[in-house]
Amino acid sequence: ANVDEAVAKLKSKGIDAYGIVCHVSNAQHRRNLVEKTVQKYGKIDIVVCNAAANPSTDPILSSKEAVLDKLWEINVKSSILLLQ
């Protein structure tokens, strides 16, 4: 619903927009994002990887391993995998 709402707002301003739900840590979502984008536009010229998560407000040196895993998974690894 959030994606549809954002696309509708952009289109109402005359902006060509296409929205796809993608949880970047999900391999199938990433594949779907790339495949549907290429189907719609024929190619991808630019990728902006701006998905990020921060599940904690603790100082980084006090962060639990699960928090560090989440930071790595979403903020770093998913961008590399998407570009691959």
Side-chain angles (χ1 to χ4, degrees), residues 2-81:
N2 290 338
V3 171
D4 293 339
E5 182 181 336
V7 168
K9 283 181 181 179
L10 291 167
K11 286 185 174 186
S12 75
K13 297 178 186 284
I15 298 170
D16 179 25
Y18 181 60
I20 302 169
V21 173
C22 179
H23 192 297
V24 294
S25 67
N26 180 303
Q28 185 56 47
H29 282 208
R30 290 190 306 270
R31 275 191 294 281
N32 185 54
L33 174 66
V34 171
E35 288 170 5
K36 293 208 184 261
T37 302
V38 170
Q39 285 173 2
K40 172 113 174 111
Y41 296 105
K43 63 181 180 167
I44 298 173
D45 293 317
I46 299 169
V47 176
V48 176
C49 297
N50 65 343
N54 188 3
S56 173
T57 57
D58 294 335
I60 196 73
L61 294 179
S62 301
S63 296
K64 296 190 180 334
E65 186 171 353
V67 169
L68 297 173
D69 290 343
K70 185 76 159 182
L71 289 171
W72 171 257
E73 180 78 22
I74 302 297
N75 301 358
V76 179
K77 183 180 171 186
S78 66
S79 293
I80 295 167
L81 293 173

